[in-house]
Amino acid sequence: LRSSPPPPPHLFSSTPDAKPAKSARPETVEKSLQTLLDSDKIEEAVKLYRQKLQSTNRKAASRMTEVLFRACARQHRWDIVVEVFHFLKFPRSWPNLSTSSCNIILEACLHEQQPKLVIQLMKDMTRRGILRDIETYTFAITACNRHEKWGEALQIFQLFEESYHGLGVKQDTVGVYNAA
């Protein structure tokens, strides 16, 4: 697959007057980020996230990403989730993303009509050893089906069946079968 186009120069465009932020304790950054998000100042929160991402350790970056993605999901700001995902891919600054963060990205791809990103994220999850759950497969297959990417949907469905077949998993798989 070809690589995705770079993110739009909206929230992640470089500005010449942007100065590197002083290093703050990760807990303080996380609280500041949460405060901005609770105040519906999502663009300011994303700018803070971008400033602090490079200066924090991977664990703190993962928590910040999770906080940002959950807030965006609550506010249905799928565009920002996709934009952040683009930003994370290009400088190779991926924090250790959780399954739930990846599921939010997949849901955003579904809403933002980005089926190519779905396939790319599924491959990245495999490469990085991120576990996939029922939600992961459901969002991925649904996104492919909505955009008539039948071959990709079938590949993801086959991955699902390989992952869960014979494991005695008691999870509800009806959603995945319905998506397929």
Side-chain angles (χ1 to χ4, degrees), residues 9-63:
H10 176 248
L11 297 172
F12 288 100
S13 59
S14 297
T15 55
D17 58 341
K19 298 176 187 168
K22 292 181 183 177
S23 185
R25 294 185 65 205
E27 299 83 20
T28 307
V29 173
E30 208 173 313
K31 285 182 183 177
S32 299
L33 185 63
Q34 189 65 56
T35 301
L36 288 169
L37 292 167
D38 289 343
S39 304
D40 289 335
K41 296 179 180 177
I42 203 154
E43 282 83 7
E44 290 177 42
V46 172
K47 287 177 185 175
L48 174 65
Y49 171 83
R50 179 182 179 228
Q51 288 174 345
K52 300 296 182 179
L53 185 65
Q54 301 300 328
S55 63
T56 60
N57 62 45
R58 278 192 162 311
K59 189 174 183 179
S62 297
R63 285 194 315 263

Side-chain angles (χ1 to χ4, degrees), residues 23 45 47 71 75 111 124 135 137 139 162 167 170 176:
S23 185
K47 287 177 185 175
Q75 296 178 19
H111 291 287
D124 286 343
E135 255 188 291
Y137 290 104
F139 283 131
E162 289 169 14
L167 295 178
K170 301 286 184 184
V176 177

Side-chain angles (χ1 to χ4, degrees), residues 63-131:
R63 285 194 315 263
M64 286 177 14
T65 303
E66 186 86 21
V67 166
L68 180 64
F69 282 174
R70 286 179 189 229
C72 288
R74 275 193 309 274
Q75 296 178 19
H76 301 281
R77 291 300 308 267
W78 308 116
D79 57 327
I80 292 177
V81 173
V82 170
E83 190 172 340
V84 170
F85 179 59
H86 276 293
F87 172 73
L88 292 174
K89 285 187 325 191
F90 285 96
R92 302 282 179 222
S93 59
W94 252 46
N96 295 326
L97 292 177
S98 67
T99 300
S100 68
S101 287
C102 290
N103 288 345
I104 292 170
I105 297 168
L106 287 167
E107 186 174 5
C109 291
L110 173 65
H111 291 287
E112 290 295 304
Q113 302 177 13
Q114 298 285 332
K116 288 181 183 175
L117 286 181
V118 169
I119 305 304
Q120 185 176 7
L121 180 59
M122 293 294 284
K123 288 179 180 178
D124 286 343
M125 288 176 77
T126 300
R127 190 171 46 253
R128 295 174 183 277
I130 300 170
L131 297 176

Side-chain angles (χ1 to χ4, degrees), residues 106 109-110 115 118 138-149:
L106 287 167
C109 291
L110 173 65
V118 169
T138 303
F139 283 131
I141 292 169
T142 302
C144 290
N145 284 343
R146 280 215 185 134
H147 302 287
E148 299 180 359
K149 302 289 183 188

